[in-house]
Amino acid sequence: MADCDATGPVSTVNSGIMEEKRQVVGDRLKRRDEERLAELEKKKEERSENLTAQESAKFFLETFSKNKNDLEQELSGCDSLEKDKLVDRFDNLSVMHQKLQRFLTESTMFLSSYDVRQTQDALSKLQALIQEKRDALLPKKKFAFKSKKKGTQQQKTEESKNSDIPSVDMVELADCKFTDKENETLIMDSSINMKDVALANLKSCTVKLFGAPSAIHVNKLVNCTILSGPVSGSIFIRECTNCVFAVPCQQLRIHSTTETKFFIHVTSRAIIEDCSKVSFGPYNWTYPNIIDHYKVSGLDKNRNTWDDIDDFNWLAADQRSPNWSLIPEDERNIQWE
Amino acid sequence: MGLLTILNKMKQKEKEVRLLMLGLDNAGKTTILKKFNGEDIDTISPTLGFNIKTLEHKGFKLNIWDVGGQKSLRSYWRNYFESTDGLIWVVDSADRMRLADCKQELHNLLLEERLAGATLLVFANKQDLPGALSAQEIRKGLNLDEITTHHWLIQACSAVTGESLLEGIDWIIDDIASRIFTMD
């Protein structure tokens, strides 16, 4: 019903609408005409562009085949050349080939994929031809570092003539060492300061190092007690059984070791690998001038992560490795002899 | 010109070099990396996993990968081989007892196809220790003269004092640069 009220001014509205429509249609026609012209212009442009594309493709193919012919001629001329000129000739050929390759890569924009494939094939064949010819005419090309190698070989033979460097299997251990002992008490003093110490193949021995070595390497100990002053660098322990260690150091790595107790002061984090039944407590050995040795080593006395061990065979963060444990407090007070 | 030319030019401008640092555990790989980068070396723990440092040196952008050397980690080394320009093999020169192991691991790496194009620098580290083997002895112990598949150099050094680290790195970069960045 409400619609009826609106019928009154319909005619005037209608004429207004017609006027508007006419204008709209006119505009649309005009716009369409403009678009058509623009389209025409665009097509014309495209056509001319196409022409230049064709032209440059044509130019490319011509230049390429000319260069290719030159290269082939150079290549066939190789047979009659003397040997000392051949190297230069082949170098020259490679440069020409490279240039041609670059020319192709730079031209791929306006080439049809067929042309690109064809020329690339031709280039590859050319490369193979050059290589073949080179192998035939210059067998075993001299590499720049061949003479150097000759030099080192000479050096090597000289060395083996007059040197007494032992072979790998019997490398002598360094000066500071205890090896192949049984049932002994072995002692070193501060002469080991800043040096590296090796302990290997000991059975039922007690080792006391009253000094501040830079590093300790330990291998194959059974039923031994090892006591050391502060070590500025790393301690590397492997294949020990049923031993007790008391050591302060910056780094501690323990490998393939079982049933062994460690009383340690470590300023980074100690790690174990392939170990079982190893336990840890805080470092508790002391001797009269240990303070001086701490100074020599530069170890920070206030920084000790003795109870924080990384097991490289146990990467689960939420569960504790079954391979190591903490020594109960009432078992930490050991009276060192 | 072509897109490829532009890409090539961009790559040349960047001059990125990827170095992979490997070696037995306790060789001093992380210490070398941190010392070279001017960081504190007193608090380094054995590497559980890997460290990567990107640093500018001699106009090159060096990506140095330092992968843990523990036995249990060595099987993961292969994951880092891809597109390595240079291999830095670090040796604890004072670890006379494991020189044979060290030789074995190195020669296994050199058979690796993905490292075939890489330059090899051997750092005979820990020369500050009086018991350290000399570079000549390490060279013999590791049979370096047998290597014909890679450009190599052995450099005696000390990560703790920083001695000769620069010489080694400079050599490996020069060698890589002469192989890779002289295409034009």
Side-chain angles (χ1 to χ4, degrees):
Chain A
M1 288 297 256
D3 283 351
C4 293
D5 297 335
T7 49
V10 154
S11 60
T12 50
V13 169
N14 262 356
S15 67
I17 286 175
M18 287 299 278
E19 191 63 30
E20 246 172 64
K21 266 194 177 166
R22 196 171 300 137
Q23 192 127 17
V24 168
V25 170
D27 279 353
R28 204 186 288 155
L29 278 174
K30 206 173 155 196
R31 212 180 310 135
R32 208 177 278 169
D33 193 46
E34 276 168 9
E35 274 172 14
R36 191 179 57 86
L37 283 171
E39 189 72 17
L40 248 156
E41 195 63 30
K42 210 170 139 197
K43 270 194 181 152
K44 213 191 255 171
E45 255 173 47
E46 261 174 25
R47 213 173 296 143
S48 66
E49 249 174 41
N50 221 349
L51 215 66
T52 54
Q54 272 173 6
E55 264 172 12
S56 39
K58 206 175 146 202
F59 168 76
F60 169 80
L61 289 174
E62 274 170 8
T63 322
F64 183 85
S65 74
K66 187 179 163 287
N67 278 307
K68 186 170 160 255
N69 280 338
D70 287 352
L71 223 166
E72 277 167 344
Q73 246 166 22
E74 287 265 309
L75 192 60
S76 61
C78 283
D79 294 311
S80 54
L81 265 181
E82 288 160 41
K83 236 187 178 166
D84 52 333
K85 280 184 191 157
L86 270 175
V87 181
D88 283 347
R89 174 65 72 94
F90 276 115
D91 286 348
N92 197 24
L93 281 172
S94 317
V95 172
M96 283 171 76
H97 185 268
Q98 263 174 24
K99 268 188 191 159
L100 217 50
Q101 178 69 61
R102 205 175 311 145
F103 182 47
L104 169 62
T105 353
E106 280 169 4
S107 309
T108 44
M109 287 261 274
F110 55 79
L111 289 177
S112 71
S113 57
Y114 173 79
D115 281 339
V116 172
R117 210 167 50 232
Q118 285 293 307
T119 39
Q120 187 56 60
D121 276 356
L123 270 175
S124 306
K125 269 183 202 149
L126 217 52
Q127 166 103 58
L129 271 176
I130 295 173
Q131 194 55 49
E132 206 176 279
K133 201 83 168 196
R134 182 173 223 153
D135 288 346
L137 295 176
L138 284 173
K140 270 191 198 168
K141 197 217 163 203
K142 276 182 197 161
F143 286 111
F145 51 84
K146 200 179 173 185
S147 56
K148 191 171 148 198
K149 200 183 126 203
K150 215 189 252 166
T152 57
Q153 265 172 353
Q154 269 169 4
Q155 235 176 322
K156 201 172 135 195
T157 47
E158 273 166 34
E159 249 171 46
S160 46
K161 262 183 219 156
N162 58 13
S163 83
D164 47 1
I165 297 170
S167 75
V168 182
D169 302 328
M170 354 185 258
V171 169
E172 281 279 318
L173 293 181
D175 292 342
C176 303
K177 68 185 172 206
F178 289 126
T179 58
D180 307 298
K181 308 264 189 212
E182 219 175 317
N183 293 313
E184 282 185 49
T185 297
L186 307 161
I187 293 174
M188 287 192 210
D189 59 17
S190 57
S191 63
I192 58 172
N193 281 7
M194 315 287 287
K195 292 184 179 163
D196 50 314
V197 174
L199 307 172
N201 301 321
L202 305 179
K203 252 183 210 162
S204 308
C205 292
T206 298
V207 179
K208 295 181 182 176
L209 305 175
F210 294 98
S214 288
I216 304 180
H217 290 98
V218 180
N219 192 16
K220 293 192 176 131
L221 308 191
V222 183
N223 304 328
C224 291
T225 299
I226 313 298
L227 308 170
S228 173
V231 178
S232 63
S234 67
I235 299 181
F236 189 89
I237 296 170
R238 54 175 189 151
E239 293 181 46
C240 293
T241 310
N242 198 23
C243 294
V244 180
F245 287 83
V247 287
C249 57
Q250 196 245 314
Q251 284 190 345
L252 176 62
R253 291 177 170 86
I254 305 162
H255 301 258
S256 312
T257 289
T258 57
E259 293 172 65
T260 293
K261 285 182 178 159
F262 294 88
F263 294 92
I264 57 172
H265 172 186
V266 192
T267 56
S268 67
R269 286 164 71 99
I271 71 114
I272 61 172
E273 189 179 57
D274 302 327
C275 290
S276 61
K277 295 182 192 159
V278 289
S279 53
F280 295 86
Y283 181 65
N284 53 9
W285 189 51
T286 190
Y287 54 90
N289 50 349
I290 193 168
I291 299 291
D292 297 337
H293 292 160
Y294 261 103
K295 276 181 199 147
V296 171
S297 73
L299 278 193
D300 184 352
K301 272 202 98 168
N302 298 317
R303 194 188 170 109
N304 189 358
T305 57
W306 65 273
D307 57 351
D308 196 2
I309 314 294
D310 279 332
D311 182 353
F312 273 58
N313 304 106
W314 192 264
L315 299 177
D318 51 339
Q319 269 178 314
R320 205 173 146 141
S321 161
N323 299 322
W324 67 276
S325 60
L326 296 179
I327 297 168
E329 263 183 69
D330 53 346
E331 291 173 32
R332 287 180 201 164
N333 269 328
I334 292 185
Q335 291 305 309
W336 307 106
E337 304 143 37
Chain B
M1 279 293 181
L3 181 61
L4 230 114
T5 327
I6 295 166
L7 286 177
N8 274 338
K9 276 191 183 145
M10 277 170 66
K11 205 181 159 196
Q12 264 164 16
K13 219 180 271 173
E14 290 253 329
K15 285 199 175 171
E16 273 198 47
V17 169
R18 182 179 156 120
L19 301 175
L20 177 60
M21 188 147 60
L22 298 175
L24 299 189
D25 43 333
N26 200 35
K29 297 176 290 295
T30 309
T31 309
I32 286 179
L33 183 64
K34 298 222 165 178
K35 188 77 185 184
F36 190 70
N37 203 30
E39 289 174 56
D40 180 30
I41 58 167
D42 290 336
T43 55
I44 298 169
S45 294
T47 307
L48 216 176
F50 68 91
N51 302 301
I52 174 167
K53 283 259 145 53
T54 301
L55 40 103
E56 296 276 342
H57 182 63
K58 289 180 82 180
F60 291 92
K61 189 175 165 194
L62 309 185
N63 295 312
I64 309 184
W65 294 72
D66 153 37
V67 186
Q70 299 297 141
K71 210 181 246 175
S72 46
L73 298 179
R74 288 178 210 160
S75 54
Y76 300 104
W77 283 357
R78 69 182 75 233
N79 300 338
Y80 300 86
F81 291 164
E82 211 65 61
S83 54
T84 291
D85 299 308
L87 176 65
I88 301 177
W89 182 256
V90 184
V91 183
D92 173 358
S93 305
D95 190 357
R96 295 160 179 253
M97 293 186 260
R98 287 198 301 162
L99 200 56
D101 283 1
C102 184
K103 172 183 144 191
Q104 191 55 48
E105 292 285 356
L106 173 61
H107 285 268
N108 285 349
L109 275 183
L110 296 179
L111 296 175
E112 182 59 46
E113 209 172 302
R114 282 172 294 166
L115 294 176
T119 301
L120 171 66
L121 169 67
V122 178
F123 265 137
N125 191 25
K126 305 203 185 181
Q127 292 295 323
D128 53 295
L129 300 178
L133 294 165
S134 71
Q136 281 303 321
E137 288 168 309
I138 300 273
R139 171 175 158 185
K140 198 154 189 212
L142 298 183
N143 275 2
L144 293 184
D145 290 304
E146 269 181 16
I147 301 170
T148 54
T149 47
H150 297 67
H151 288 195
W152 62 268
L153 177 86
I154 180 159
Q155 174 70 54
C157 74
S158 164
V160 173
T161 65
E163 188 201 334
S164 297
L165 291 183
L166 209 59
E167 282 91 328
I169 301 283
D170 281 352
W171 175 81
I172 197 169
I173 290 170
D174 285 346
D175 189 80
I176 292 165
S178 66
R179 282 192 291 112
I180 298 181
F181 300 114
T182 51
M183 296 296 273
D184 262 328

